[in-house]
Amino acid sequence: MAELTMVEAINLALAEEMRRDERVVILGEDVGVDGGIFRVTKDLIEEFGEERVIDTPLAESGIMGVSVGMAMRGLRPVPEMQFSGFSYLGFHQIESHLSRMRWRTQGGRQVPVVVRMPYGAGVRALEHHSESREVFYTHMPGIKLVVPSGPRAARTLLVAAIRDPDPVVFFEPKALYRAFREEVSDEEDEPITIGKAMIRRDGTDLTLVAYGAMLPRAMEAAKTLADGGIEAEVIDLLTLSPLDHEAIAASVRRTGRCVVVHEAPLSYGPGAEIAARVMEGAFLKLQAPVMRVTGPDVNVPYFAREQLYLPDAERIADACRATMNY
Amino acid sequence: MPREPLQFESRVERLSILDEDGKADEELVPEIPDDLLVRGYRTMVKARRFDQRRLKLQRSGRIGTFAPVNGQEAAQVGTISALDETDWFVPSYRETAAHFWRGTDPKDILLYDAGYNEGGALAEDSRTLPLAVPVGTQMLHAVGIVHAARLLGEEEIAMTYFGDGATSQGDFHEAMNFASVFDCPVVFVCQNNQYAISVPRSRQTRSETLAQKAIAYGVTGIQVDGNDIFACHVAAREAVDRARNESRPTLIECVTYRLEMHTTADDPSRYRDEEEVAKWRQRDPIERFGKWLMARGLVDDKGIERMEEEITDEIQAAWKATEARIETLKDVGPMFDHVFAELTPELARQRARMQDGHSPGGWKDG
Ligand SMILES: Cc1ncc(C[n+]2csc(CCOP(=O)(O)OP(=O)(O)O)c2C)c(N)n1
Ligand SMILES: [Mg+2]
């Protein structure tokens, strides 16, 4: 057992999978000699060589398109988009080919690519480095999207993603990269099943849904609420697509109330989808409308105001109290 | 320090062998067995007749739109015939003639044209990829495929096709650049048919030729008369040899012309005049190759007549079979197949609801 940060846990998962399966290769900008600008791929080039940890030219569409080709020829590429904010140059390849190659060849070609990309605010970064645009990818049929909420989840989810026969977009909450350490087993952990949410805290009064960098804030809010006698059940989604709406609805059928937290903007965000699913799965048990605690419908402001933009424990707790008093 | 012109190596040539009248520079005609020459000719004719039949089917509403090959048969058959079956063919959407050379079944093309995903089904061991609609994107797949093969310890080469318009795309640049940096054995075949829908070649780039774009990537480039099957074939053979022996990419610009509409939805009279088209009809790739074959005694009028009949029958049989197959494909279910390796519970639910005549989303018991 070692106490690892999320960066170290992802690095561990990559190394383990590359040892286990020769078909796993990494490619991207600065992923080799430099070990990635966040050091997620640190030292991998030493162990696996530059043929499997490939420093590419600076071109996201190139990285994605070449990954699609490599996967069609039997490799399991794990390309890195340096920031999700630059993945849009590769978006066309993801939407037009990665997400649908299996479908358009009627199963003749599979493209088991895991596209890793750091997302989200909270690290005082430049413009274009802080957005949380997961819905661009959750809205794409044929793509799975997962978001770990801590080092242990990151390690096991990445293993599951690499072993998955379908393309996975792996959203890394960069605010959590080094935020805290967790015990991560030296042995292989059971991979988390993609498509399954986890209950991180039991509660009977309301269901609090979060993921990624918002999970720790939701947990903090739950603690504050407990001091005031409100017991929140906290669900960590882990996978956004396909969404485990059964788990959410089952919880809401018990609690009768639901609050969703995400840092993506409010309108058309994951909260809207979750609210609709709660309507379908728990309508008659609902005692208050589903509440959303999210970023506003603006771009993430420059970093002086990014913490104002982000939902925090106080705002989350406030929404939960409002829901209780509805 | 004085100013001086930059010195760099330019490896860009132009090649033509067979002229408009069917006369060849016999010194340059490549060695090709007679039966392959005739097979090449037959493939060109079949592609053209297939388009003519498809146009009728499209106009009567039985299939959707498609991109005719008419005028570009030599550029396609000349180049693809330099490949072995085990090499990769990575097409865009206009390479019907190349597909026929590779053995793609006209039934599959017709089923795709009729709007059924099943027409795009690919055998797992196939090295012919299905057509790619988003302009330029497929070139990167060719690069990825051969690079992956190398990492897996195999030496494989790929030939990828695209148009003059595609050279303006970032993906063209990224693919050429990746291929050169990583020493990828890819043959880039640009069919410069003078138009990207309505936009003329002169609006894509001020570069005097497309072939010279190779220079910037440190790649060998060649421009050929794209209506001259021999020039296309010689350039492709050299490129294939370079790919196999030196693991280096090549850019081939086939200067050709699209004699028909861009797709069946297009009206070319809006952007080009008949005179220009007539000029290019004089340079028809099938006619000039036919003349050369006749002069050589490899085909005669009777033989061509028989060939035409066979082709007509073959296309007719393919359409009949397609029509019959379509009758079995009316269910809503197949759109859910192959989205993922396994059907997710959510997709299963949506499919069941639609099969029951409902919308995919809906109420569920709580
Ligand atoms: C990325 C993308 N943009 C636009 C289109 C619409 N479109 C289809 S074909 C075409 C012109 C392509 O011209 P060219 O590359 O010269 O090939 P050609 O059709 O002449 O064979 C356009 C604009 C598309 N399919 N993909
Ligand atoms: Mg064109």
Side-chain angles (χ1 to χ4, degrees), chain B residues 163-165 191 193-196:
Chain B
D164 44 306
Q191 295 179 81
N193 64 3
Q194 313 302 331
Y195 289 92

Side-chain angles (χ1 to χ4, degrees), chain B residues 223-256:
Chain B
Q223 187 188 61
V224 297
D225 178 345
N227 288 6
D228 164 356
I229 189 160
F230 292 140
C232 293
H233 188 72
V234 168
R237 255 198 204 176
E238 287 172 6
V240 163
D241 288 346
R242 184 173 301 114
R244 267 197 237 293
N245 304 331
E246 301 165 34
S247 198
R248 289 294 299 166
T250 304
L251 172 62
I252 302 175
E253 176 190 359
C254 302
V255 180
T256 180

Side-chain angles (χ1 to χ4, degrees), chain A residues 287-301:
Chain A
Q287 308 200 22
V290 177
M291 188 90 146
R292 291 175 286 169
V293 185
T294 71
D297 290 345
V298 302
N299 288 313
V300 178

Side-chain angles (χ1 to χ4, degrees), chain B residues 59 66 76 103 115 125 146 162 179 197 212 227 231 233 237 251 280 301 303 311 314 321 325 332 339 341 346:
Chain B
R59 293 298 191 232
F66 66 92
Q76 294 180 16
D125 57 356
V146 297
F162 51 98
I197 309 184
Q212 76 198 60
N227 288 6
H233 188 72
R237 255 198 204 176
L251 172 62
W280 279 93
D301 287 335
I311 288 170
E314 191 188 334
R325 174 109 191 262
V332 48
V339 176
E346 175 64 19

